[in-house]
Amino acid sequence: MESRRRKGDGLSLASTLLMGMSCLFSAASVDTKAALSANPKYHHYREEYRRNLLANGLGLTPPMGWNSWNYFNCKIDEEIIKQTADALVSTGLAKLGYEYVNIDDCWAEIARDYKGNLVAKNSTFPSGIKALADYVHSKGLKLGIYSDAGYFTCSKTMPGSLGHEEQDAKTFVSWGIDYLKYDNCNEDGTKPTVRYPVMTRALIKAGRPIFFSLCEWGDLHPALWGAKVGNSWRTTNDIADNWNSMVSRADQNEVYAELARPGGWNDPDMLEVGNGGMTRNEYIVHFSIWSISKAPLLLGCDIRNMAKETMEIVSNKEVIAINQDPVGVQAKKVRALGDLEIWAGPLSGYRVALLLVNRGPWHNAITAHWDDIGIPEGSIVEARDVWEHKTLKTRFVQNLSATVESHSCKMYILKPVS
């Protein structure tokens, strides 16, 4: 079957300059900062950086945490949120970087109060959201909330923020919210490019850094405009807990790989690992693709009752490190031969993350060639298997081959040693 191959340079030169100048300014001496400040080009790049990253300094690596929707849907309350925060700490997941505890739809009363403010649903959140934020913060974690760029949220059980953006942003700030997922249901017919920036400006004006997650479902290609509006943007419709849904979301998300960057990430939706609809190997593929794709790692299972198998997948430090690598370049599917795929992306320290995926019904050998994955020809390479947690004794030249089972993957960190 004919293979297909795509290459790209990851971050654009402009993006690299923006980040480089920002890092340089942070680390510079007083004299150097004075010299930079006198340079008009520096101010041009600083202004471009400010506009693109909302000046909130968030999301320099993809966010990690948990979201209530995939497991609980609307059946949430403050005790579930507190218990989940407790579980993130007690399981050690918080120390691995899972810091956001995100409440999705259905948390508010259907009617605003007499001043037009959002009100937490008394039957399920009687203590209020501020008290809940205080509890989550006391655990060293961050609290996320949900709203919608329409008149009602997708569940139609609570108001959206359309026409109330500044008021709601101030409310979220007063509660101590750290993350806002902003959906796209029940709107007024105007384009997302009109409605979403209104909340962007409201959040900036409100004065508290809040990670802004655009849940526009990829309808108007938000990867093309999202960097000036939010910290992440959904590139797909909602994920379901099955193999076909997961891999289709991965494909749709990969198209926009070159547009991801520190501060702004492509989002193929939340993780389904642990919800029971896929096999162990399929969940490993799911977690591996999301990690190498620099997608947000937002768990969607019941953290309070995680199986050992689920915990082993989502707590893999080596795979998480690929997702959180500071270079921040999303991997691409550099070659596909039928059901056999090769994903690769650069990491810090001249390393490369490599993922071999077998989507087919039988085990098969997959070979990754250096010229496909950005390793100089003739390099001798050391390979670290991040799921087996071992460095392979073999040194590889020109390519690496592995036999991969059906609906499974092999994942490596490659390091040229000669």
Side-chain angles (χ1 to χ4, degrees):
M1 185 177 291
E2 182 184 358
S3 67
R4 54 187 173 82
R5 176 179 172 187
R6 296 202 305 274
K7 289 186 178 180
D9 60 358
L11 284 173
S12 67
L13 176 61
S15 299
T16 304
L17 282 171
L18 298 178
M19 286 187 295
M21 293 197 70
S22 177
C23 294
L24 174 63
F25 192 80
S26 298
S29 66
V30 173
D31 290 342
T32 303
K33 287 181 179 179
L36 283 172
S37 295
N39 187 335
K41 288 186 177 180
Y42 168 78
H43 290 289
H44 167 76
Y45 287 125
R46 287 283 289 185
E47 176 60 18
E48 186 65 22
Y49 178 85
R50 188 198 70 78
R51 287 200 305 268
N52 283 352
L53 303 190
L54 308 179
N56 64 14
L58 301 176
L60 297 182
T61 59
M64 297 176 61
W66 172 87
N67 179 285
S68 61
W69 185 257
N70 283 358
Y71 185 84
F72 292 100
N73 297 123
C74 274
K75 297 177 182 178
I76 53 169
D77 57 47
E78 63 184 44
E79 288 306 311
I80 289 173
I81 304 303
K82 287 181 179 180
Q83 291 166 11
T84 299
D86 294 343
L88 284 172
V89 174
S90 64
T91 57
L93 289 172
K95 288 186 177 179
L96 296 178
Y98 293 97
E99 62 177 350
Y100 287 105
V101 181
N102 292 346
I103 308 169
D104 210 282
D105 203 349
C106 312
W107 60 267
E109 296 284 6
I110 187 65
R112 293 172 177 269
D113 69 12
Y114 72 99
K115 292 183 178 179
N117 295 313
L118 291 168
V119 180
K121 196 171 183 179
N122 187 59
S123 61
T124 50
F125 293 88
S127 302
I129 303 300
K130 186 181 187 308
L132 189 55
D134 291 344
Y135 183 88
V136 170
H137 292 158
S138 75
K139 300 292 179 178
L141 302 170
K142 298 177 180 180
L143 186 69
I145 204 80
Y146 167 97
S147 190
D148 189 287
Y151 296 117
F152 294 95
T153 63
C154 295
S155 70
K156 296 184 179 179
T157 64
M158 56 173 279
S161 291
L162 185 62
H164 292 267
E165 291 87 354
E166 284 199 15
Q167 187 172 16
D168 291 353
K170 290 177 182 177
T171 297
F172 299 149
V173 166
S174 71
W175 289 343
I177 295 299
D178 304 292
Y179 184 113
L180 173 62
K181 177 182 174 181
Y182 205 47
D183 223 329
N184 195 33
C185 288
N186 303 304
E187 31 83 10
D188 62 358
T190 58
K191 290 183 177 181
T193 47
V194 173
R195 287 176 286 111
Y196 277 79
V198 179
M199 181 56 84
T200 302
R201 292 189 291 270
L203 291 173
I204 293 172
K205 187 176 179 180
R208 176 184 176 84
I210 293 178
F211 187 102
F212 191 25
S213 170
L214 316 181
C215 185
E216 186 264 7
W217 322 316
D219 283 0
L220 202 62
H221 306 288
L224 301 177
W225 49 270
K228 294 182 178 181
V229 181
N231 298 109
S232 68
W233 40 85
R234 278 277 294 280
T235 53
T236 72
N237 213 321
D238 290 0
I239 193 171
D241 186 20
N242 63 72
W243 172 260
N244 288 333
S245 175
M246 184 271 290
V247 295
S248 70
R249 298 321 183 258
D251 289 342
Q252 293 164 32
N253 189 67
E254 190 265 346
V255 171
Y256 303 105
E258 293 184 18
L259 298 171
R261 68 197 74 178
W265 306 103
N266 293 316
D267 178 8
D269 205 6
M270 298 164 289
L271 292 162
E272 292 281 9
V273 182
N275 281 331
M278 289 183 256
T279 67
R280 175 181 180 273
N281 283 350
E282 288 172 341
Y283 279 137
I284 287 175
V285 174
H286 182 14
F287 195 71
S288 297
I289 293 178
W290 262 237
S291 293
I292 201 170
S293 299
K294 300 297 188 287
L297 296 183
L298 297 175
L299 303 172
C301 60
D302 187 355
I303 303 294
R304 307 168 304 168
N305 299 291
M306 282 198 345
K308 181 181 178 182
E309 182 179 276
T310 300
M311 182 64 185
E312 288 175 350
I313 294 172
V314 303
S315 66
N316 187 321
K317 294 180 182 179
E318 295 189 70
V319 178
I320 291 170
I322 291 171
N323 179 262
Q324 296 289 299
D325 188 86
V327 167
V329 177
Q330 180 175 328
K332 297 180 182 180
K333 196 187 304 184
V334 296
R335 188 178 284 272
L337 183 61
D339 292 321
L340 310 180
E341 298 179 347
I342 300 161
W343 298 64
L347 300 173
S348 56
Y350 303 101
R351 300 171 302 150
V352 172
L354 173 66
L355 179 64
L356 309 179
V357 179
N358 181 0
R359 296 192 183 191
W362 302 283
H363 69 274
N364 223 318
I366 305 177
T367 300
H369 296 274
W370 288 181
D371 64 342
D372 278 335
I373 62 179
I375 294 177
E377 186 177 355
S379 297
I380 299 173
V381 169
E382 176 185 275
R384 173 76 177 177
D385 187 322
V386 297
W387 283 108
E388 296 294 330
H389 301 294
K390 64 181 181 183
T391 301
L392 304 186
K393 293 180 180 180
T394 303
R395 294 294 187 267
F396 298 88
V397 182
Q398 302 298 344
N399 62 70
L400 180 153
S401 292
T403 299
V404 183
E405 295 178 13
S406 169
H407 285 204
S408 300
C409 68
K410 293 281 188 179
M411 195 174 195
Y412 305 95
I413 293 178
L414 305 182
K415 183 179 180 181
V417 292
S418 176

